[in-house]
Amino acid sequence: MLINGVVADSLPASDRGLAYGDGLYRTLEVLAGQPRLWRWQWQRLAADCAALRLPCPDEALLLAEIATVCAGLPRAVAKVVLTRGSGQRGYAIPATVQPTRIVSAAAWAGYPAERAAQGITLRWCSTQLGLQPLLAGVKHLNRLENVLARSEWGDPAIAEGLMLDSDGTVVEGTMSNLFWVHAGQLFTPPLDRCGVSGAMRACIIDTARQLGITVAEQRVLPAELLAADEVFVCNSLAGIWPVRQLDGRTWQAWPLAARLQQHLPAA
């Protein structure tokens, strides 16, 4: 682990990331020292920094630190955390901000291969996402809604849970973005009121359009999602997981999801 470029494993108790969740993070797969989907990861990190008015780190510096922490690991999971650094007591943003940059890595543990090939079982979560357009899409450090939603089940046969917003529309999974297919068209919920805009979500949208697949953002109710021709979830580590079962509804084939799986960038 590197903290501001130095090998360390602790932060001051005054860091605003700890005190207020004042920061953001990205999690990414690293192959032979090279972060996968970096184009989309960097775009999202820069956009999130702008949304939080947080100074964005130098791209070359960040890549060098990712390579350092992943050295000796042929396949790794890297995590980049940026906070607004330490400050005096109170919510006000300090006049002079000295961000804290944390870059860490762990050996790749992976997911069962059958999830991508055979599909997964989902459940509905009762924990809802609050509406806050100013933070919508940002992968900020306050993920308590997701933590509480994920704590709702312990059954290993259920791979993921879907979360609704306070208006009752489906937004995302606890750790994933959501897509569905209707009449050959690909849909995903807009993330203008809540939710996390993931790098894999952006990659899938770009890849689908390159393949000539129409993609649209659309709010969806649970009953409408259950009527879809295909449903799948995604994130940067899992890739695409087709949904086999949700709330008594079963899907047995996912032709569009399989096509996208075959065409996702390798790097």
Side-chain angles (χ1 to χ4, degrees), residues 125-130 145-146 149 152 163-168:
C125 294
S126 60
T127 304
Q128 295 180 330
L129 293 164
E145 293 168 330
N146 305 71
E152 291 180 20
M163 300 182 69
L164 313 183
D165 62 24
S166 55
D167 281 345

Side-chain angles (χ1 to χ4, degrees), residues 4-24:
N4 294 327
V6 177
V7 176
D9 61 1
S10 61
L11 291 174
S14 58
D15 192 276
R16 290 175 63 90
L18 172 64
Y20 307 120
D22 190 358
L24 56 92

